[in-house]
Amino acid sequence: MNTKFSLPVPALVSVLEGKQIWPPPVWLMRQAGRYLPEYREIRKTAGSFWAMCMSPDLATEITLQPVRRFDFDAAIIFSDILVIPYALGQAVRFDDGIGPVLDQYPGYDGLGEDPGLWKQRLSPVYQALEQTRKALSSTKALIGFAGAPWTLAAYMLEGRGSVDQRAAKLFGYSNRQEFSRLLNRLADAVASHLIWQLEHGADVVQLFDSWAGGLPDQEFCDWVIGPTAKIVATVRDVVPGARMIGFPRAATQNQYQLYASETGVNCVGIDTANSISWAISTLGGRIAIQGNLDPIALIAGGDALDDAIDRILSAGRGHSLIFNLGHGVLQET
Amino acid sequence: MNTKFSLPVPALVSVLEGKQIWPPPVWLMRQAGRYLPEYREIRKTAGSFWAMCMSPDLATEITLQPVRRFDFDAAIIFSDILVIPYALGQAVRFDDGIGPVLDQYPGYDGLGEDPGLWKQRLSPVYQALEQTRKALSSTKALIGFAGAPWTLAAYMLEGRGSVDQRAAKLFGYSNRQEFSRLLNRLADAVASHLIWQLEHGADVVQLFDSWAGGLPDQEFCDWVIGPTAKIVATVRDVVPGARMIGFPRAATQNQYQLYASETGVNCVGIDTANSISWAISTLGGRIAIQGNLDPIALIAGGDALDDAIDRILSAGRGHSLIFNLGHGVLQET
């Protein structure tokens, strides 16, 4: 048999190739983190969240922790979406209790445009991926990721997280062309980062557009779909067949449909408010579906958790489904 | 002619009765507030935001300010959704830069259940409505309002605003029956407050469910649609034909459709991410539509603002439309 020596294909990869695997592969966004005692142990001595991201050995260990403990079907590399602003020269620090704080946006001309320098600054991520892939069972998928341009631009212009992305929207509304240039530069950097992750051991990459919610349709097309489609095409030019998951969190249902049909991703992540049955019936014909358990149901446990899981599984049976959350794991879990 | 002595009907009221008025009546959520110099003048000497809400004379003056300056088609009474927890005995204070902070949730049995006491505590709102209605042209509508039970419960359990309503969701998931009792009590208090507002001069009332976004369908039905339908029915039992606007901000499009068909409101407020053309085509057959200019476009001005207004007006022409924002006016405006 000519398949004698072939490695097993991780279930998550099969789903992204359109297969229906049952029970579906499971992983959780932010599955490595503060809810795990073994993570908190490392955190105590590491100095900072950023130091952990930028140490290949620590990032590898933290990436593997939840897979060891829960036997998840995938590991997602321990890193942060704000490594891209950092690579472009806008420094980031993480303050306890506040979250990320970025240096002032340096302006378009202040952003580094040398891919060699981006790669050098991001090299700890690629080292961690290589090490993790070696340590991880071949039945498990390794996921790389990046923030999507709109979400990154929001952080870069606001300087921190914000409920309504006011600074980025105001900039975009007032300087549409200049804002598109910024998104284009970010798309270049994000595509490069995803390609390098795929070249260093990632089997799959996910784009997080955590702040896709709240955009009118026109801006959703210009600022979310356009840059995402460009990234997918650029990555596939270099890595043919690259498997990509997109997560336009809190987009409207019409916007989700456009995203699924126009960007080229293999799978769409569904947030908590949308139902998997809606996602399967409107998007599931052409694309795999990932989601969407409420992270707060995971804390509540009991009947609420059982019911929520049942709803996802019964809606997803017979389709290409990846079981996940609708947002990241919370530290209280 | 037997119509000789009839008062003119405010355009906004006509729209809520199913008529198509062009150009559409205009008002803005949070149209009274810090972006107005004349408001800031009063704020300087009033002591606190809460003191302004609870002074009938100040609330009347502040309510009238934006109508004087911009000739809006409606005035919305200057008050706050958190007067309901206050009426039930959970005190609220407003700290500059933090927003509302509530005393600890007293438990269901700690909530006041005497409508006489609710009415006494809320009487400044009714006085302000009476005074405002007298001072306001009969061509202008006066809008009363209340927070919807889910959004109020989120504030009461969290103690302040929150991005994911974690405390309320956790309580609801873990103690479904107890949470429904709380929502029922809130629905009673909200219905009473809306009835009393309608009896004291309000032509129209709006229910703000500012945190309706992020709920799975089951919880949206149980925690948003159910209590809202109960409130609408209770109000109409006492005030037949009461005109009511509902605003389930950031609900999914499927949820918006259920809300429009199941609650009994005359009009649905549309948030920024949804398009008016979508709202008109899916909800507009049976109900008036209000919305949905991005408050940040209002700050940006210029072409972005012109284009956004054009999109709303061209989608809404020939339908029952109220021009408004998709969220409240921002103080930078």
Side-chain angles (χ1 to χ4, degrees):
Chain A
M1 287 172 65
N2 62 5
T3 57
K4 195 173 170 187
F5 298 107
S6 68
L7 287 170
V9 174
L12 187 134
V13 169
S14 295
V15 169
L16 293 180
E17 290 174 344
K19 300 204 173 58
Q20 293 147 24
I21 306 279
W22 208 258
V26 176
W27 70 281
L28 304 181
M29 291 188 282
R30 215 186 292 144
Q31 66 189 19
R34 279 185 288 184
Y35 74 104
L36 289 175
E38 57 268 35
Y39 172 93
R40 292 198 300 269
E41 271 307 306
I42 294 184
R43 178 75 181 75
K44 263 187 220 165
T45 53
S48 73
F49 173 80
W50 190 254
M52 296 193 292
C53 290
M54 287 297 159
S55 154
D57 289 348
L58 294 182
T60 300
E61 170 58 21
I62 295 168
T63 300
L64 293 168
Q65 284 176 347
V67 181
R68 269 191 220 119
R69 185 186 272 258
F70 301 112
D71 197 30
F72 289 131
D73 294 293
I76 181 163
I77 195 68
F78 182 76
S79 181
D80 193 86
I81 64 169
L82 298 179
V83 297
I84 294 288
Y86 162 75
L88 295 173
Q90 188 177 1
V92 180
R93 65 175 197 277
F94 287 79
D95 292 351
D96 281 340
I98 297 184
V101 179
L102 289 81
D103 281 356
Q104 197 179 348
Y105 175 60
Y108 182 79
D109 294 328
L111 298 175
E113 52 187 331
D114 171 13
L117 187 57
W118 303 344
K119 192 171 185 182
Q120 183 190 320
R121 286 184 173 152
L122 296 169
S123 63
V125 181
Y126 313 130
Q127 268 184 265
L129 280 159
E130 285 194 351
Q131 295 178 188
T132 305
R133 187 60 276 179
K134 276 181 199 147
L136 195 66
S137 153
S138 57
T139 62
K140 310 284 190 190
L142 177 56
I143 303 172
F145 72 93
W150 158 249
T151 292
L152 294 175
Y155 270 109
M156 291 167 73
L157 291 162
E158 197 81 43
R160 60 182 66 207
S162 95
V163 290
D164 59 6
Q165 297 80 56
R166 197 175 301 183
K169 269 189 170 180
L170 195 52
F171 190 100
Y173 283 146
S174 309
N175 310 280
R176 208 166 272 271
Q177 287 194 316
E178 180 71 12
F179 192 61
S180 288
R181 286 177 77 206
L182 168 58
L183 293 176
N184 257 313
R185 170 65 58 83
L186 287 168
D188 288 341
V190 167
S192 299
H193 187 41
L194 296 179
I195 290 165
W196 293 326
Q197 289 183 76
L198 289 162
E199 291 173 344
H200 287 82
D203 304 297
V204 172
V205 288
Q206 174 158 330
L207 267 175
F208 285 86
D209 225 341
S210 313
W211 288 338
L215 289 173
D217 287 349
Q218 181 70 53
E219 284 69 30
F220 188 84
C221 285
D222 294 346
W223 300 346
V224 171
I225 290 185
T228 301
K230 181 185 171 183
I231 289 166
V232 172
T234 305
V235 170
R236 295 238 176 89
D237 271 352
V238 180
V239 185
R243 302 162 199 114
M244 304 180 69
I245 304 169
F247 182 42
R249 190 169 71 84
T252 72
Q253 291 173 333
N254 285 346
Q255 291 169 355
Y256 256 112
Q257 289 185 59
L258 269 178
Y259 188 96
S261 63
E262 302 301 321
T263 60
V265 296
N266 306 81
C267 177
V268 176
I270 306 297
D271 59 52
T272 293
N274 284 296
S275 72
I276 290 294
S277 61
W278 164 80
I280 295 280
S281 66
T282 57
L283 321 174
R286 68 172 83 85
I287 205 163
I289 298 298
Q290 174 174 285
N292 77 338
L293 184 70
D294 190 341
I296 299 168
L298 197 60
I299 302 179
D303 287 348
L305 178 59
D306 292 345
D307 291 350
I309 292 173
D310 281 352
R311 285 202 292 259
I312 294 170
L313 292 182
S314 64
R317 186 174 270 281
H319 298 274
S320 296
L321 177 72
I322 299 167
F323 187 91
N324 204 318
L325 300 178
H327 201 177
V329 175
L330 299 166
Q331 66 176 108
E332 297 86 342
T333 305
Chain B
M1 286 171 66
N2 60 6
T3 57
K4 195 173 171 187
F5 297 108
S6 69
L7 287 169
V9 175
L12 188 134
V13 170
S14 295
V15 169
L16 293 181
E17 290 174 344
K19 300 203 174 58
Q20 292 147 24
I21 307 278
W22 208 258
V26 176
W27 70 281
L28 304 182
M29 292 188 281
R30 215 187 292 144
Q31 66 189 17
R34 280 184 287 184
Y35 74 104
L36 289 175
E38 57 268 36
Y39 172 92
R40 293 197 299 269
E41 271 308 306
I42 294 183
R43 179 74 182 75
K44 263 188 222 164
T45 53
S48 72
F49 172 81
W50 190 254
M52 297 194 292
C53 290
M54 287 298 159
S55 155
D57 290 348
L58 294 183
T60 300
E61 170 58 22
I62 294 168
T63 301
L64 292 167
Q65 284 176 346
V67 181
R68 270 192 219 117
R69 185 185 272 258
F70 299 112
D71 196 31
F72 288 131
D73 294 293
I76 180 163
I77 195 67
F78 182 77
S79 182
D80 193 85
I81 64 169
L82 298 179
V83 297
I84 294 287
Y86 162 75
L88 294 174
Q90 187 176 2
V92 180
R93 64 176 199 278
F94 287 79
D95 292 351
D96 282 339
I98 297 184
V101 179
L102 289 81
D103 281 355
Q104 196 178 348
Y105 175 60
Y108 182 80
D109 294 327
L111 297 176
E113 53 187 330
D114 172 13
L117 187 58
W118 302 345
K119 192 172 185 180
Q120 183 189 319
R121 286 185 172 152
L122 296 169
S123 63
V125 181
Y126 312 130
Q127 267 183 267
L129 280 159
E130 282 192 353
Q131 295 177 189
T132 305
R133 187 59 277 178
K134 276 182 199 144
L136 195 66
S137 154
S138 57
T139 62
K140 310 285 191 189
L142 178 55
I143 303 172
F145 71 93
W150 159 249
T151 292
L152 294 175
Y155 271 109
M156 291 167 72
L157 291 163
E158 197 81 43
R160 60 182 65 207
S162 95
V163 289
D164 59 5
Q165 298 81 56
R166 197 175 301 183
K169 270 190 170 179
L170 195 51
F171 190 100
Y173 284 145
S174 308
N175 310 281
R176 206 166 274 271
Q177 287 194 316
E178 181 71 12
F179 192 62
S180 288
R181 287 178 75 206
L182 168 59
L183 294 177
N184 257 314
R185 170 65 57 84
L186 287 168
D188 288 341
V190 166
S192 299
H193 187 41
L194 296 179
I195 289 165
W196 294 325
Q197 290 183 75
L198 289 162
E199 290 174 344
H200 287 81
D203 303 297
V204 172
V205 287
Q206 174 159 330
L207 267 175
F208 285 86
D209 225 340
S210 313
W211 288 338
L215 289 173
D217 288 349
Q218 181 69 53
E219 283 69 32
F220 187 84
C221 286
D222 294 347
W223 300 345
V224 171
I225 290 185
T228 301
K230 181 185 170 182
I231 289 166
V232 173
T234 305
V235 170
R236 295 239 177 89
D237 271 352
V238 179
V239 185
R243 301 164 199 113
M244 303 181 70
I245 304 170
F247 182 42
R249 190 169 71 86
T252 73
Q253 290 172 332
N254 285 346
Q255 291 169 354
Y256 256 112
Q257 290 185 58
L258 269 178
Y259 188 97
S261 63
E262 302 301 322
T263 59
V265 297
N266 305 82
C267 176
V268 176
I270 305 297
D271 59 53
T272 293
N274 284 296
S275 72
I276 290 294
S277 61
W278 164 80
I280 294 280
S281 66
T282 56
L283 321 174
R286 67 172 83 86
I287 206 164
I289 298 297
Q290 174 174 285
N292 74 339
L293 185 70
D294 189 340
I296 299 168
L298 196 60
I299 303 178
D303 288 348
L305 178 60
D306 292 344
D307 290 351
I309 292 173
D310 281 351
R311 285 202 292 260
I312 293 170
L313 293 181
S314 64
R317 186 175 271 280
H319 298 274
S320 296
L321 177 73
I322 299 167
F323 186 91
N324 204 317
L325 300 179
H327 202 177
V329 175
L330 298 166
Q331 65 177 110
E332 296 86 342
T333 304

